Amino acid sequence: MKKTNTGEKSISVRLDELQSFENHPFRVVEDDALRQLAQSIKGNGVLTPCIVRPSPYGDGYELLSGHRRVAACRLIGRKTIPAIVRDLDDDAATILMVDANQQRENLLPSEKAFAYRMKLEAMKHQGKPSLSQVATKLGKSDSASVIGLVTGESRDKVFRYIRLTYLEENLLRMVDEGRIAFGPAVEISFLKHDEQCMLLETIITEEATPSLSQAQTLKKLSQEGTLDMDIILGILSEQKGNQVDRLKLRQDQLMQYFPHGTTPRQMEKIIFRLLDEWKRCGCLSKK
């Protein structure tokens, strides 16, 4: 065990001593990138230690940063990983966990949404500006410290991401899958839970998702107390100009043809590559 100048401890921690941070919003997918990281660790070791804190629930450590490195180590059967131990309270640990993981590429909207919310609530506990202040005091430099400036998001964008945490679980999944756009998703997050459930049912049966203008109409009618199933059906049945003769490929149907964890963008690249190969062999011209 090595003690640093800042009072931190550098140790080699067993993977079975590590615990997940409570309500951790970031996911680790076993994809090609993770497998490549695993092979790099196998050949070169772990170059950057993860960050942990003593578990508040007893023995072991709570993992704050380095989730992909830990997953990669487990993938190759490694038993230990170098770690920096910091003695942090819940709020400081939350902020560190969010900031460290926001550096990852290709974060899902839901991951960013819950991460921003967790960080803002932690900062509020520390006496920083509240969530409502972030939404209303635009342009105030004292509020800038509340949002994740490391990501370059504006205060308004941070608040809009946080609105996604009020979406029904399946609707939020559709946002992650790219089936519902960000703008409409923010608007429908203001619907009551039962209204969101009715909307979800209509989306599934009609195979149609709301445009921004339709989502704004749904929000307005919800606030007026006049939104019901028939109105939702009528709104989503309206033909949108950009959806005339539009081809729809449902991700839940496509998933059977792809490895677990394949993202929508990766699926799209593979589909178009296969179509190019199909075209080159002349299959597209065959009756």
Side-chain angles (χ1 to χ4, degrees):
M1 181 183 297
K2 177 183 176 184
K3 191 106 172 179
T4 67
N5 292 333
T6 59
E8 300 171 344
K9 294 184 293 185
S10 294
I11 67 172
S12 177
V13 62
R14 297 198 316 272
L15 298 188
D16 58 13
E17 292 183 287
L18 294 175
Q19 305 162 10
S20 297
F21 191 84
E22 187 175 5
N23 298 322
H24 183 279
F26 301 100
R27 306 174 194 175
V28 175
V29 179
E30 187 178 328
D31 54 11
D32 288 341
L34 184 66
R35 287 186 281 272
Q36 290 173 7
L37 176 60
Q39 290 306 308
S40 174
I41 289 175
K42 188 174 183 179
N44 305 306
V46 179
L47 303 180
T48 304
C50 58
I51 301 177
V52 302
R53 70 167 179 165
S55 172
Y57 307 107
D59 296 335
Y61 300 91
E62 201 168 50
L63 182 62
L64 304 179
S65 172
H67 296 79
R68 295 186 73 255
R69 277 162 278 162
V70 169
C73 287
R74 287 186 170 129
L75 201 60
I76 58 176
R78 186 179 174 122
K79 302 300 182 183
T80 63
I81 190 169
I84 296 173
V85 182
R86 295 184 182 175
D87 192 7
L88 303 171
D89 62 25
D90 290 345
D91 293 329
T94 296
I95 294 170
L96 186 150
M97 181 272 297
V98 170
D99 286 347
N101 284 279
Q102 280 179 342
Q103 304 300 322
R104 290 163 49 182
E105 297 181 357
N106 302 320
L107 288 178
L108 295 171
S110 64
E111 293 176 304
K112 295 182 74 171
F114 282 102
Y116 281 140
R117 183 171 178 174
M118 289 180 71
K119 180 177 179 179
L120 287 171
E121 289 302 318
M123 294 185 117
K124 181 175 68 174
H125 295 158
Q126 293 181 330
K128 299 297 194 307
S130 67
L131 180 58
S132 60
Q133 288 174 303
V134 174
T136 58
K137 291 189 177 181
L138 304 184
K140 295 290 186 180
S141 59
D142 58 347
S143 294
S145 62
V146 181
I147 61 176
L149 290 179
V150 290
T151 64
E153 304 281 13
S154 68
R155 296 171 181 83
D156 180 64
K157 191 65 174 288
V158 169
F159 182 69
R160 285 162 62 79
Y161 266 113
I162 291 173
R163 280 303 319 173
L164 300 183
T165 65
Y166 296 92
L167 280 173
E168 191 274 339
E169 179 181 357
N170 293 290
L171 290 175
L172 183 56
R173 185 178 298 115
M174 289 182 177
V175 179
D176 283 341
E177 294 171 351
R179 296 171 61 187
I180 300 178
F182 180 78
V186 172
E187 300 299 321
I188 64 176
S189 72
F190 289 91
L191 272 58
K192 302 178 184 66
H193 179 73
D194 60 331
E195 294 170 339
Q196 291 191 31
C197 291
M198 289 189 290
L199 174 61
L200 174 64
E201 183 178 340
T202 307
I203 288 174
I204 294 172
T205 57
E206 296 300 310
E207 295 188 352
T209 57
S211 66
L212 178 57
S213 62
Q214 289 174 334
Q216 290 169 338
T217 300
L218 291 169
K219 175 184 173 182
K220 180 176 181 292
L221 294 175
S222 173
Q223 292 172 336
E224 294 173 352
T226 59
L227 190 62
D228 59 24
M229 188 63 144
D230 289 337
I231 292 177
I232 293 174
L233 178 59
I235 292 174
L236 260 65
S237 297
E238 297 172 357
Q239 190 176 64
K240 299 186 281 289
N242 63 349
Q243 288 188 337
V244 177
D245 294 330
R246 185 175 179 180
L247 177 64
K248 297 179 181 178
L249 298 176
R250 289 175 49 183
Q251 184 176 350
D252 57 345
Q253 294 175 334
L254 290 173
M255 279 302 299
Q256 62 181 307
Y257 302 104
F258 294 90
H260 176 72
T262 305
T263 66
R265 180 166 294 184
Q266 290 170 334
M267 289 183 188
E268 180 180 314
K269 290 181 179 179
I270 292 171
I271 289 171
F272 279 108
R273 186 177 72 242
L274 292 174
L275 286 173
D276 285 338
E277 294 175 359
W278 196 26
K279 182 178 181 180
R280 283 195 297 271
C281 75
C283 297
L284 286 177
S285 61
K286 296 179 181 178
K287 300 292 185 181

